[in-house]
Amino acid sequence: MHGAEVKPLYTLLKLLVLSALLVTAFKSSAQNLHDSWNTLLTKHVVAINHGHSTEVDYAAIKHEHTQLKAYLNTLTAITPGEFNTWDKHKQLAFLINAYNAFTVELILTQYPNIESIKELGSFFSSPWSKEFISLLGKTRSLDDIEHELIRGSGKYNDPRIHFAVNCASIGCPALREEAYSADKLEEQLHQQTVRFLSDNTRNMATGNTLNVSSIFKWYGGDFEQGFKGANTLHPFLAQYADALKLLPAQQEALQNNDMKIKFLDYNWNLNARR
């Protein structure tokens, strides 16, 4: 083969190798985005209540505040343009992780002198309306992430997010002991939903009455938007009859909208490890 023929072939091979390396680096970067948050959660979030709930070791996280800050900075560095190129699972995992990590950051502003996240609000505004989060090109609040970017965007339409975002309170569904990720998101959301609904201290059936968390009252509309065919709360909950430990007669009543639903009081005490 003549030298003039070898050179274009060599150049093509170099371009192919470089392209493969760039794709690998991109995938690795995407996978590693939430690694530091995952490490903090794995180390400092502990399952309690037979695995239905978790406690957060805020004191230990405060000792590693530099790592948390670094993670939040990586989230802030993601541009709207980059975010918009991601698939829906990757976007939703990012937003859930951001909500949970910035909630921990908010708690740390006053910890250990705090008994409830509600203390971080005022008479005129809630802690969830504080604009302290730099994310996707704007200064935002926790409410903005949950109600605008997740619930209000119309992209995701998945009521199970209510069992994934965590409000730092005992009444909340558990803060998961790992970060959410695009490749495991469906499994993670299902597990979180079953985990919460199977907790008979917060969701339980008594006769023809199903006592459930106030989450289902506050966000009732989210459970009426056709998730797996459920257009009201009754059929949504019927999908998790096993988790709720419903008897056959109770399952039938729930499916037929004949079961009374009662909403329980919410425990706003901090989900801190004591």
Side-chain angles (χ1 to χ4, degrees), residues 2-3 28 32 45 47-48 50 82 103 111 121 180 210 225 257 268:
H2 296 292
S28 176
N32 293 338
V45 177
I48 59 168
H50 305 290
E82 182 178 0
T103 296
Y111 190 83
Y180 290 89
L210 183 56
Q225 295 181 6
N257 289 344
W268 288 105

Side-chain angles (χ1 to χ4, degrees), residues 5 19 31 50 76 86 90 96 115 125 127 132 153 155 205 223-224 251 266-267:
E5 297 172 333
S19 176
Q31 291 168 352
H50 305 290
T76 296
W86 297 346
K90 186 173 178 181
I96 293 171
E115 294 296 327
S125 65
F132 70 100
S153 69
K155 291 181 183 179
F223 299 94
E224 300 173 352
Q251 293 183 36
Y266 207 75
N267 188 340

Side-chain angles (χ1 to χ4, degrees), residues 64-185:
E64 298 187 56
H65 204 179
T66 301
Q67 288 89 323
L68 176 60
K69 287 282 193 183
Y71 172 65
L72 298 179
N73 287 339
T74 65
L75 299 183
T76 296
I78 300 298
T79 66
E82 182 178 0
F83 178 84
N84 289 333
T85 66
W86 297 346
D87 64 41
K88 290 182 180 180
H89 278 180
K90 186 173 178 181
Q91 290 180 351
L92 188 52
F94 173 89
L95 294 172
I96 293 171
N97 287 330
Y99 185 97
N100 291 341
F102 277 107
T103 296
V104 171
E105 174 66 11
L106 180 61
I107 296 299
L108 293 184
T109 61
Q110 295 297 325
Y111 190 83
N113 303 311
I114 178 176
E115 294 296 327
S116 169
I117 189 172
K118 284 194 162 186
E119 296 172 18
L120 300 177
S122 67
F123 183 79
F124 298 102
S125 65
S126 79
W128 296 280
S129 64
K130 287 187 177 217
E131 295 184 340
F132 70 100
I133 300 165
S134 180
L135 194 71
L136 299 177
K138 293 183 180 179
T139 301
R140 303 179 185 271
S141 66
L142 291 169
D143 271 349
D144 289 338
I145 297 177
E146 181 177 10
H147 305 311
E148 178 187 333
L149 296 177
I150 298 178
R151 297 177 61 236
S153 69
K155 291 181 183 179
Y156 313 112
N157 192 27
D158 193 328
R160 298 173 301 172
I161 62 99
H162 294 295
F163 312 111
V165 295
N166 183 268
C167 64
S169 303
I170 291 174
C172 289
L175 177 61
R176 193 172 176 88
E177 305 94 319
E178 66 173 352
Y180 290 89
S181 61
D183 59 335
K184 296 193 296 182
L185 186 62

Side-chain angles (χ1 to χ4, degrees), residues 36 39-40 43-44 58-70 108:
S36 57
T39 298
L40 287 171
K43 288 170 63 177
H44 304 308
Y58 290 104
I61 297 178
K62 196 162 189 174
H63 282 300
E64 298 187 56
H65 204 179
T66 301
Q67 288 89 323
L68 176 60
K69 287 282 193 183
L108 293 184

